[in-house]
């Protein structure tokens, strides 16, 4: 496999440390902003995997990747994923909250159809996506999600206008609304809300509560889904990655997608 990465932030850097353990990766090309090429090392895995840094979609395509992973935020999904899908490349989209933009979501789907490719949405930091997606075929489904993170994870977000994050000494609700509203207002914190919405009841019908809690054991994701087929409750306590906003499990989920692309057995 020749792998492409969009972005070289916390997710990509942490993922890079695990790629040498995935058999069959021949080379990696990393798409970064102009001027950031020097941030990307010449190889991953102590020289095992050669790495090239590029600054345009055309340059990425010229490296002939077989599979691409986006991990650079909503604007990167908008700018780079549609042309890659149209070119026939399957793309893992980590910044799933970008699909809360209906116009962008349609453009991505049209690009995948036109290129006969697939936009792959990983489970990321949450579990139970398989059964949630399956329940939709059994009738109306109701989903409520609560995302709880330490105050520092909400720094630089609209939460700062709701509570004094630095002085917080108890849990505080910083947002209540739909998954679409959450994904739009908190693009780096509410990808799980978007994932649940896409798998289950949709962006408008999925209710979201976001909480800042100084005693949170990590990034905690809880949801309840009720349908005629089953009632599902899920709670996951994730360790954060190098970025408090992102759970380490998100990166492991992306690694799973890469392994499943390569392996003879997929689970």
């Amino acid at each position: 496999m020749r792998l492409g990465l969009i972005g070289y932030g916390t997710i990509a850097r942490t993922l890079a440390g695990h790629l040498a353990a995935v058999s069959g990766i021949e080379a990696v090309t990393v798409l970064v902003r102009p001027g950031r090429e020097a941030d990307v090392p010449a190889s991953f895995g102590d020289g095992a995997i050669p790495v090239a840094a590029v600054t345009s979609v055309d340059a990425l395509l010229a490296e002939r990747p077989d599979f691409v992973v986006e991990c650079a935020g909503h604007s990167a999904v908008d700018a780079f994923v549609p042309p890659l899908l149209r070119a026939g490349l399957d793309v893992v989209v980590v910044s799933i909250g970008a699909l809360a933009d209906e116009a962008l979501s349609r453009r991505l789907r049209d690009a995948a159809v036109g290129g006969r490719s697939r936009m792959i949405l990983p489970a990321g930091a949450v579990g139970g996506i398989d059964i949630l997606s399956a329940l939709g075929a059994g009738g109306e489904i109701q989903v409520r999600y609560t995302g709880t993170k330490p105050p520092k994870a909400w720094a630089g977000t609209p939460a700062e206008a709701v509570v004094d994050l630095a002085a917080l000494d108890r849990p505080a609700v910083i947002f209540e609304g739909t998954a679409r509203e959450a994904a739009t207002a908190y693009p780096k914190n509410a990808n799980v809300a978007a994932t649940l919405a896409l798998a289950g009841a949709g962006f408008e019908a999925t209710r979201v509560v976001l909480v800042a809690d100084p005693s949170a054991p990590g990034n905690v994701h809880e949801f309840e889904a009720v349908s005629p087929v089953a009632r599902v409750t899920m709670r996951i306590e994730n360790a954060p990655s190098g970025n408090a906003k992102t759970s380490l499990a998100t990166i492991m989920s992306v690694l799973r997608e890469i392994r499943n692309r390569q392996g003879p057995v997929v689970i």
Side-chain angles (χ1 to χ4, degrees), residues 131-192:
I131 190 169
L132 183 59
S133 180
L135 291 180
E140 182 179 354
I141 182 171
Q142 298 176 353
V143 181
R144 181 178 176 86
Y145 161 70
T146 301
T148 303
K149 297 183 181 182
K152 66 179 180 179
W154 302 107
T157 75
E160 292 181 326
V162 179
V163 297
D164 183 348
L165 294 172
L168 201 62
D169 61 359
R170 66 190 67 185
V173 173
I174 58 170
F175 172 88
E176 289 189 71
T178 68
R180 191 181 307 280
E181 293 166 340
T184 301
Y186 294 86
K188 295 182 178 181
N189 288 84
N191 283 310
V192 166

CSV table of all heavy atoms in Angstrom, one decimal, residues 131-192:
chain,number,residue,atom,x,y,z
A,131,ILE,N,-24.0,-1.5,15.7
A,131,ILE,CA,-25.4,-1.8,16.1
A,131,ILE,C,-26.3,-0.6,15.9
A,131,ILE,O,-27.4,-0.8,15.5
A,131,ILE,CB,-25.5,-2.4,17.5
A,131,ILE,CG1,-26.9,-2.9,17.8
A,131,ILE,CG2,-25.1,-1.3,18.6
A,131,ILE,CD1,-27.0,-3.7,19.1
A,132,LEU,N,-25.8,0.6,16.1
A,132,LEU,CA,-26.5,1.8,15.9
A,132,LEU,C,-27.0,1.9,14.5
A,132,LEU,O,-28.1,2.2,14.2
A,132,LEU,CB,-25.8,3.0,16.4
A,132,LEU,CG,-26.5,4.4,16.3
A,132,LEU,CD1,-27.7,4.4,17.1
A,132,LEU,CD2,-25.5,5.5,16.7
A,133,SER,N,-26.0,1.6,13.6
A,133,SER,CA,-26.4,1.7,12.2
A,133,SER,C,-27.4,0.6,11.8
A,133,SER,O,-28.3,0.8,10.9
A,133,SER,CB,-25.1,1.5,11.3
A,133,SER,OG,-25.3,1.6,10.0
A,134,ALA,N,-27.2,-0.5,12.4
A,134,ALA,CA,-28.1,-1.6,12.0
A,134,ALA,C,-29.6,-1.4,12.5
A,134,ALA,O,-30.5,-1.8,11.9
A,134,ALA,CB,-27.6,-2.9,12.7
A,135,LEU,N,-29.7,-0.7,13.7
A,135,LEU,CA,-31.0,-0.5,14.3
A,135,LEU,C,-31.9,0.4,13.4
A,135,LEU,O,-33.1,0.3,13.4
A,135,LEU,CB,-30.9,0.2,15.6
A,135,LEU,CG,-30.3,-0.7,16.8
A,135,LEU,CD1,-30.2,0.1,18.1
A,135,LEU,CD2,-31.1,-1.9,17.0
A,136,GLY,N,-31.3,1.2,12.6
A,136,GLY,CA,-32.1,2.1,11.7
A,136,GLY,C,-33.0,1.4,10.8
A,136,GLY,O,-34.0,1.9,10.4
A,137,ALA,N,-32.6,0.2,10.4
A,137,ALA,CA,-33.5,-0.6,9.5
A,137,ALA,C,-34.7,-1.2,10.2
A,137,ALA,O,-35.6,-1.6,9.5
A,137,ALA,CB,-32.7,-1.7,8.9
A,138,GLY,N,-34.7,-1.1,11.5
A,138,GLY,CA,-35.8,-1.7,12.3
A,138,GLY,C,-36.9,-0.7,12.7
A,138,GLY,O,-37.8,-1.0,13.5
A,139,GLY,N,-36.9,0.5,12.2
A,139,GLY,CA,-37.9,1.5,12.6
A,139,GLY,C,-37.3,2.7,13.2
A,139,GLY,O,-36.1,2.9,13.2
A,140,GLU,N,-38.1,3.6,13.7
A,140,GLU,CA,-37.7,4.9,14.3
A,140,GLU,C,-36.7,4.7,15.4
A,140,GLU,O,-36.9,3.8,16.3
A,140,GLU,CB,-38.9,5.7,14.7
A,140,GLU,CG,-38.5,7.1,15.3
A,140,GLU,CD,-39.7,7.8,15.8
A,140,GLU,OE1,-40.8,7.4,15.5
A,140,GLU,OE2,-39.5,8.9,16.4
A,141,ILE,N,-35.7,5.5,15.4
A,141,ILE,CA,-34.7,5.3,16.5
A,141,ILE,C,-34.4,6.7,17.1
A,141,ILE,O,-34.5,7.7,16.5
A,141,ILE,CB,-33.3,4.8,15.9
A,141,ILE,CG1,-32.3,4.6,16.9
A,141,ILE,CG2,-32.8,5.7,14.8
A,141,ILE,CD1,-31.0,3.9,16.4
A,142,GLN,N,-34.3,6.7,18.5
A,142,GLN,CA,-34.0,7.9,19.2
A,142,GLN,C,-32.6,7.8,19.8
A,142,GLN,O,-32.3,6.7,20.4
A,142,GLN,CB,-35.0,8.0,20.3
A,142,GLN,CG,-36.5,8.2,19.9
A,142,GLN,CD,-37.5,8.3,21.0
A,142,GLN,OE1,-37.1,8.1,22.1
A,142,GLN,NE2,-38.7,8.5,20.6
A,143,VAL,N,-31.8,8.8,19.7
A,143,VAL,CA,-30.4,8.8,20.2
A,143,VAL,C,-30.2,10.1,21.0
A,143,VAL,O,-30.5,11.2,20.5
A,143,VAL,CB,-29.4,8.7,19.0
A,143,VAL,CG1,-28.0,8.7,19.6
A,143,VAL,CG2,-29.7,7.5,18.2
A,144,ARG,N,-29.6,9.9,22.2
A,144,ARG,CA,-29.1,11.0,23.0
A,144,ARG,C,-27.7,10.7,23.4
A,144,ARG,O,-27.3,9.7,23.9
A,144,ARG,CB,-30.0,11.1,24.2
A,144,ARG,CG,-29.6,12.3,25.1
A,144,ARG,CD,-30.5,12.4,26.3
A,144,ARG,NE,-30.1,13.5,27.3
A,144,ARG,CZ,-30.4,14.7,27.2
A,144,ARG,NH1,-31.2,15.1,26.2
A,144,ARG,NH2,-30.0,15.6,28.0
A,145,TYR,N,-26.8,11.7,23.1
A,145,TYR,CA,-25.4,11.6,23.4
A,145,TYR,C,-24.9,12.7,24.4
A,145,TYR,O,-25.3,13.8,24.3
A,145,TYR,CB,-24.6,11.8,22.0
A,145,TYR,CG,-23.2,12.1,22.2
A,145,TYR,CD1,-22.3,11.2,22.7
A,145,TYR,CD2,-22.7,13.4,21.8
A,145,TYR,CE1,-20.9,11.5,22.9
A,145,TYR,CE2,-21.4,13.7,22.0
A,145,TYR,CZ,-20.5,12.7,22.5
A,145,TYR,OH,-19.2,13.1,22.6
A,146,THR,N,-24.1,12.3,25.3
A,146,THR,CA,-23.4,13.2,26.2
A,146,THR,C,-21.9,13.0,26.1
A,146,THR,O,-21.4,11.9,26.2
A,146,THR,CB,-23.8,12.9,27.7
A,146,THR,OG1,-25.2,13.0,27.8
A,146,THR,CG2,-23.2,13.9,28.6
A,147,GLY,N,-21.2,14.2,25.8
A,147,GLY,CA,-19.8,14.2,25.7
A,147,GLY,C,-19.2,15.0,26.8
A,147,GLY,O,-19.5,16.2,27.0
A,148,THR,N,-18.3,14.3,27.6
A,148,THR,CA,-17.8,15.0,28.8
A,148,THR,C,-16.2,15.0,28.6
A,148,THR,O,-15.6,13.9,28.4
A,148,THR,CB,-18.1,14.3,30.1
A,148,THR,OG1,-19.6,14.2,30.2
A,148,THR,CG2,-17.6,15.0,31.3
A,149,LYS,N,-15.6,16.2,28.8
A,149,LYS,CA,-14.2,16.3,28.7
A,149,LYS,C,-13.7,17.3,29.8
A,149,LYS,O,-14.5,18.1,30.3
A,149,LYS,CB,-13.8,16.8,27.3
A,149,LYS,CG,-14.1,15.9,26.2
A,149,LYS,CD,-13.6,16.5,24.8
A,149,LYS,CE,-14.0,15.5,23.7
A,149,LYS,NZ,-13.5,16.0,22.4
A,150,PRO,N,-12.4,17.2,30.2
A,150,PRO,CA,-11.9,18.1,31.1
A,150,PRO,C,-11.9,19.6,30.6
A,150,PRO,O,-12.0,19.8,29.3
A,150,PRO,CB,-10.4,17.7,31.3
A,150,PRO,CG,-10.4,16.3,30.8
A,150,PRO,CD,-11.4,16.2,29.7
A,151,PRO,N,-11.9,20.6,31.4
A,151,PRO,CA,-12.1,22.0,31.0
A,151,PRO,C,-11.0,22.4,29.9
A,151,PRO,O,-11.4,23.1,29.0
A,151,PRO,CB,-11.9,22.8,32.2
A,151,PRO,CG,-12.4,21.9,33.3
A,151,PRO,CD,-12.0,20.5,32.9
A,152,LYS,N,-9.8,21.9,30.0
A,152,LYS,CA,-8.8,22.3,29.1
A,152,LYS,C,-9.1,21.8,27.6
A,152,LYS,O,-8.6,22.4,26.7
A,152,LYS,CB,-7.4,21.8,29.5
A,152,LYS,CG,-7.2,20.3,29.5
A,152,LYS,CD,-5.8,19.9,29.9
A,152,LYS,CE,-5.6,18.4,29.9
A,152,LYS,NZ,-4.2,18.0,30.3
A,153,ALA,N,-9.9,20.8,27.5
A,153,ALA,CA,-10.3,20.3,26.2
A,153,ALA,C,-11.2,21.2,25.5
A,153,ALA,O,-11.4,21.2,24.3
A,153,ALA,CB,-10.9,18.9,26.3
A,154,TRP,N,-11.9,22.1,26.2
A,154,TRP,CA,-12.8,23.1,25.7
A,154,TRP,C,-12.2,24.4,25.4
A,154,TRP,O,-12.9,25.4,25.0
A,154,TRP,CB,-14.1,23.2,26.6
A,154,TRP,CG,-14.7,21.9,26.8
A,154,TRP,CD1,-14.7,21.1,28.0
A,154,TRP,CD2,-15.5,21.1,25.9
A,154,TRP,NE1,-15.4,20.0,27.8
A,154,TRP,CE2,-16.0,19.9,26.5
A,154,TRP,CE3,-15.9,21.3,24.5
A,154,TRP,CZ2,-16.7,19.0,25.9
A,154,TRP,CZ3,-16.7,20.4,23.9
A,154,TRP,CH2,-17.1,19.2,24.6
A,155,ALA,N,-10.9,24.6,25.7
A,155,ALA,CA,-10.3,25.9,25.5
A,155,ALA,C,-10.3,26.3,24.0
A,155,ALA,O,-10.2,25.4,23.1
A,155,ALA,CB,-8.8,25.8,26.0
A,156,GLY,N,-10.6,27.5,23.8
A,156,GLY,CA,-10.6,28.0,22.4
A,156,GLY,C,-11.9,27.7,21.7
A,156,GLY,O,-12.0,27.8,20.5
A,157,THR,N,-13.0,27.3,22.5
A,157,THR,CA,-14.3,27.0,21.9
A,157,THR,C,-15.3,27.9,22.5
A,157,THR,O,-15.1,28.7,23.4
A,157,THR,CB,-14.7,25.5,22.2
A,157,THR,OG1,-15.1,25.5,23.6
A,157,THR,CG2,-13.5,24.6,22.0
A,158,PRO,N,-16.6,27.9,22.0
A,158,PRO,CA,-17.6,28.7,22.5
A,158,PRO,C,-17.9,28.5,24.0
A,158,PRO,O,-18.6,29.3,24.7
A,158,PRO,CB,-18.9,28.4,21.7
A,158,PRO,CG,-18.3,27.9,20.4
A,158,PRO,CD,-17.0,27.2,20.7
A,159,ALA,N,-17.4,27.4,24.6
A,159,ALA,CA,-17.6,27.1,26.0
A,159,ALA,C,-17.0,28.2,26.9
A,159,ALA,O,-17.5,28.4,28.0
A,159,ALA,CB,-16.9,25.7,26.3
A,160,GLU,N,-16.0,28.9,26.4
A,160,GLU,CA,-15.3,29.9,27.1
A,160,GLU,C,-16.3,31.1,27.4
A,160,GLU,O,-16.1,31.8,28.4
A,160,GLU,CB,-14.1,30.4,26.4
A,160,GLU,CG,-13.0,29.4,26.3
A,160,GLU,CD,-11.8,29.9,25.6
A,160,GLU,OE1,-11.9,30.7,24.7
A,160,GLU,OE2,-10.6,29.5,26.0
A,161,ALA,N,-17.3,31.2,26.6
A,161,ALA,CA,-18.3,32.3,26.8
A,161,ALA,C,-19.5,31.8,27.7
A,161,ALA,O,-20.3,32.6,28.2
A,161,ALA,CB,-18.9,32.7,25.5
A,162,VAL,N,-19.5,30.5,28.0
A,162,VAL,CA,-20.5,29.9,28.9
A,162,VAL,C,-20.1,29.8,30.3
A,162,VAL,O,-20.9,30.1,31.2
A,162,VAL,CB,-21.0,28.5,28.3
A,162,VAL,CG1,-22.1,27.9,29.2
A,162,VAL,CG2,-21.4,28.6,26.9
A,163,VAL,N,-18.9,29.3,30.5
A,163,VAL,CA,-18.4,29.2,31.9
A,163,VAL,C,-16.9,29.6,31.9
A,163,VAL,O,-16.3,29.8,30.9
A,163,VAL,CB,-18.5,27.7,32.4
A,163,VAL,CG1,-19.9,27.2,32.4
A,163,VAL,CG2,-17.6,26.8,31.4
A,164,ASP,N,-16.5,29.9,33.2
A,164,ASP,CA,-15.0,30.2,33.4
A,164,ASP,C,-14.3,28.8,33.5
A,164,ASP,O,-14.3,28.2,34.6
A,164,ASP,CB,-14.9,31.0,34.6
A,164,ASP,CG,-13.4,31.4,34.9
A,164,ASP,OD1,-12.5,30.9,34.2
A,164,ASP,OD2,-13.2,32.3,35.7
A,165,LEU,N,-13.7,28.4,32.4
A,165,LEU,CA,-13.1,27.0,32.4
A,165,LEU,C,-12.0,26.9,33.4
A,165,LEU,O,-11.9,25.8,34.1
A,165,LEU,CB,-12.6,26.7,31.0
A,165,LEU,CG,-13.7,26.6,29.9
A,165,LEU,CD1,-13.0,26.5,28.5
A,165,LEU,CD2,-14.5,25.3,30.1
A,166,ALA,N,-11.2,27.9,33.6
A,166,ALA,CA,-10.1,27.9,34.5
A,166,ALA,C,-10.5,27.7,36.0
A,166,ALA,O,-9.8,27.1,36.8
A,166,ALA,CB,-9.2,29.1,34.3
A,167,ALA,N,-11.7,28.3,36.3
A,167,ALA,CA,-12.1,28.3,37.7
A,167,ALA,C,-13.1,27.2,38.0
A,167,ALA,O,-13.6,27.1,39.1
A,167,ALA,CB,-12.7,29.6,38.0
A,168,LEU,N,-13.4,26.4,37.0
A,168,LEU,CA,-14.5,25.4,37.1
A,168,LEU,C,-14.1,24.3,38.2
A,168,LEU,O,-13.0,23.8,38.2
A,168,LEU,CB,-14.7,24.7,35.8
A,168,LEU,CG,-16.1,24.0,35.6
A,168,LEU,CD1,-17.2,25.0,35.7
A,168,LEU,CD2,-16.1,23.3,34.2
A,169,ASP,N,-15.0,24.1,39.2
A,169,ASP,CA,-14.8,23.1,40.2
A,169,ASP,C,-15.9,22.0,40.3
A,169,ASP,O,-15.9,21.2,41.2
A,169,ASP,CB,-14.6,23.8,41.6
A,169,ASP,CG,-15.9,24.6,42.0
A,169,ASP,OD1,-16.9,24.6,41.2
A,169,ASP,OD2,-15.9,25.2,43.1
A,170,ARG,N,-16.7,22.0,39.3
A,170,ARG,CA,-17.8,21.0,39.2
A,170,ARG,C,-18.2,20.9,37.8
A,170,ARG,O,-17.9,21.8,36.9
A,170,ARG,CB,-19.0,21.4,40.1
A,170,ARG,CG,-19.7,22.7,39.6
A,170,ARG,CD,-20.7,23.1,40.6
A,170,ARG,NE,-20.0,23.6,41.8
A,170,ARG,CZ,-20.7,24.0,42.9
A,170,ARG,NH1,-22.0,24.0,43.0
A,170,ARG,NH2,-20.0,24.4,44.0
A,171,PRO,N,-18.9,19.8,37.4
A,171,PRO,CA,-19.4,19.6,36.0
A,171,PRO,C,-20.3,20.8,35.6
A,171,PRO,O,-21.1,21.2,36.4
A,171,PRO,CB,-20.1,18.3,36.1
A,171,PRO,CG,-19.6,17.6,37.2
A,171,PRO,CD,-19.3,18.6,38.3
A,172,ALA,N,-20.1,21.2,34.4
A,172,ALA,CA,-21.0,22.3,33.8
A,172,ALA,C,-21.4,21.9,32.4
A,172,ALA,O,-20.5,21.6,31.6
A,172,ALA,CB,-20.2,23.6,33.9
A,173,VAL,N,-22.7,22.0,32.1
A,173,VAL,CA,-23.2,21.8,30.8
A,173,VAL,C,-22.8,23.1,29.9
A,173,VAL,O,-23.2,24.2,30.3
A,173,VAL,CB,-24.7,21.6,30.7
A,173,VAL,CG1,-25.2,21.5,29.3
A,173,VAL,CG2,-25.0,20.3,31.5
A,174,ILE,N,-22.1,22.9,28.9
A,174,ILE,CA,-21.7,24.0,28.0
A,174,ILE,C,-22.5,24.1,26.7
A,174,ILE,O,-22.4,25.1,26.0
A,174,ILE,CB,-20.2,23.9,27.7
A,174,ILE,CG1,-19.8,22.6,27.0
A,174,ILE,CG2,-19.4,24.1,29.0
A,174,ILE,CD1,-18.4,22.6,26.5
A,175,PHE,N,-23.2,23.0,26.4
A,175,PHE,CA,-24.0,23.0,25.2
A,175,PHE,C,-25.1,22.0,25.3
A,175,PHE,O,-24.9,20.9,25.8
A,175,PHE,CB,-23.1,22.6,24.0
A,175,PHE,CG,-23.9,22.4,22.7
A,175,PHE,CD1,-24.2,23.5,21.9
A,175,PHE,CD2,-24.4,21.2,22.3
A,175,PHE,CE1,-25.0,23.3,20.7
A,175,PHE,CE2,-25.1,21.0,21.2
A,175,PHE,CZ,-25.4,22.0,20.4
A,176,GLU,N,-26.3,22.3,24.8
A,176,GLU,CA,-27.4,21.4,24.5
A,176,GLU,C,-28.0,21.7,23.2
A,176,GLU,O,-28.3,22.9,23.0
A,176,GLU,CB,-28.4,21.5,25.7
A,176,GLU,CG,-28.0,20.9,27.0
A,176,GLU,CD,-29.1,20.8,28.0
A,176,GLU,OE1,-30.0,20.0,27.8
A,176,GLU,OE2,-29.2,21.6,28.9
A,177,GLY,N,-28.3,20.7,22.4
A,177,GLY,CA,-28.9,21.0,21.1
A,177,GLY,C,-28.8,19.8,20.2
A,177,GLY,O,-28.7,18.6,20.6
A,178,THR,N,-28.9,20.0,18.9
A,178,THR,CA,-28.8,18.9,17.9
A,178,THR,C,-27.4,18.6,17.6
A,178,THR,O,-26.4,19.4,17.8
A,178,THR,CB,-29.5,19.3,16.6
A,178,THR,OG1,-28.8,20.3,16.0
A,178,THR,CG2,-31.0,19.8,16.9
A,179,ALA,N,-27.2,17.4,17.0
A,179,ALA,CA,-25.9,17.0,16.5
A,179,ALA,C,-25.3,18.0,15.5
A,179,ALA,O,-24.1,18.2,15.4
A,179,ALA,CB,-25.9,15.6,16.0
A,180,ARG,N,-26.2,18.5,14.6
A,180,ARG,CA,-25.7,19.5,13.6
A,180,ARG,C,-25.2,20.7,14.3
A,180,ARG,O,-24.1,21.2,13.9
A,180,ARG,CB,-26.8,19.8,12.6
A,180,ARG,CG,-26.3,20.6,11.4
A,180,ARG,CD,-27.5,21.0,10.5
A,180,ARG,NE,-28.3,19.8,10.0
A,180,ARG,CZ,-27.9,19.0,9.1
A,180,ARG,NH1,-26.8,19.0,8.5
A,180,ARG,NH2,-28.8,18.0,8.8
A,181,GLU,N,-25.9,21.2,15.3
A,181,GLU,CA,-25.5,22.4,16.0
A,181,GLU,C,-24.2,22.2,16.7
A,181,GLU,O,-23.3,23.0,16.7
A,181,GLU,CB,-26.5,22.9,16.9
A,181,GLU,CG,-27.8,23.4,16.3
A,181,GLU,CD,-29.0,23.5,17.2
A,181,GLU,OE1,-29.0,22.9,18.3
A,181,GLU,OE2,-29.9,24.3,16.9
A,182,ALA,N,-24.0,21.0,17.3
A,182,ALA,CA,-22.8,20.7,18.1
A,182,ALA,C,-21.6,20.6,17.2
A,182,ALA,O,-20.6,21.1,17.5
A,182,ALA,CB,-23.0,19.4,18.9
A,183,ALA,N,-21.8,19.9,16.1
A,183,ALA,CA,-20.7,19.7,15.1
A,183,ALA,C,-20.2,21.0,14.5
A,183,ALA,O,-19.0,21.2,14.2
A,183,ALA,CB,-21.1,18.7,14.1
A,184,THR,N,-21.2,21.9,14.3
A,184,THR,CA,-20.8,23.2,13.7
A,184,THR,C,-20.2,24.1,14.7
A,184,THR,O,-19.2,24.8,14.4
A,184,THR,CB,-22.1,23.8,13.2
A,184,THR,OG1,-22.7,23.0,12.2
A,184,THR,CG2,-21.8,25.2,12.5
A,185,ALA,N,-20.7,24.1,15.9
A,185,ALA,CA,-20.1,25.0,17.0
A,185,ALA,C,-18.8,24.5,17.6
A,185,ALA,O,-18.0,25.3,18.0
A,185,ALA,CB,-21.1,25.3,18.1
A,186,TYR,N,-18.6,23.2,17.6
A,186,TYR,CA,-17.5,22.6,18.2
A,186,TYR,C,-16.8,21.6,17.2
A,186,TYR,O,-16.8,20.4,17.4
A,186,TYR,CB,-17.9,21.8,19.5
A,186,TYR,CG,-18.4,22.7,20.6
A,186,TYR,CD1,-19.7,23.1,20.7
A,186,TYR,CD2,-17.5,23.2,21.6
A,186,TYR,CE1,-20.2,24.0,21.7
A,186,TYR,CE2,-17.9,24.1,22.6
A,186,TYR,CZ,-19.3,24.5,22.6
A,186,TYR,OH,-19.7,25.3,23.6
A,187,PRO,N,-16.2,22.1,16.2
A,187,PRO,CA,-15.7,21.3,15.1
A,187,PRO,C,-14.6,20.3,15.5
A,187,PRO,O,-14.4,19.3,14.9
A,187,PRO,CB,-15.2,22.3,14.0
A,187,PRO,CG,-15.0,23.6,14.8
A,187,PRO,CD,-16.0,23.6,15.9
A,188,LYS,N,-13.8,20.7,16.6
A,188,LYS,CA,-12.7,19.8,17.0
A,188,LYS,C,-13.1,18.9,18.2
A,188,LYS,O,-12.3,18.1,18.6
A,188,LYS,CB,-11.5,20.7,17.4
A,188,LYS,CG,-10.9,21.4,16.2
A,188,LYS,CD,-9.7,22.2,16.7
A,188,LYS,CE,-9.0,22.9,15.5
A,188,LYS,NZ,-7.8,23.7,15.9
A,189,ASN,N,-14.3,19.1,18.7
A,189,ASN,CA,-14.8,18.4,19.9
A,189,ASN,C,-16.0,17.5,19.7
A,189,ASN,O,-16.3,16.7,20.6
A,189,ASN,CB,-15.1,19.4,21.0
A,189,ASN,CG,-13.8,20.0,21.6
A,189,ASN,OD1,-13.4,21.0,21.1
A,189,ASN,ND2,-13.3,19.4,22.7
A,190,ALA,N,-16.7,17.7,18.6
A,190,ALA,CA,-18.0,17.0,18.5
A,190,ALA,C,-18.1,16.1,17.3
A,190,ALA,O,-19.2,15.9,16.7
A,190,ALA,CB,-19.1,18.0,18.5
A,191,ASN,N,-17.0,15.5,16.8
A,191,ASN,CA,-17.0,14.6,15.7
A,191,ASN,C,-17.8,13.3,16.1
A,191,ASN,O,-18.5,12.7,15.3
A,191,ASN,CB,-15.6,14.2,15.3
A,191,ASN,CG,-15.0,15.3,14.4
A,191,ASN,OD1,-15.5,15.7,13.5
A,191,ASN,ND2,-13.7,15.6,14.8
A,192,VAL,N,-17.8,13.0,17.4
A,192,VAL,CA,-18.5,11.8,17.9
A,192,VAL,C,-20.0,12.1,17.7
A,192,VAL,O,-20.8,11.2,17.2
A,192,VAL,CB,-18.2,11.5,19.3
A,192,VAL,CG1,-19.3,10.5,19.9
A,192,VAL,CG2,-16.8,10.9,19.5
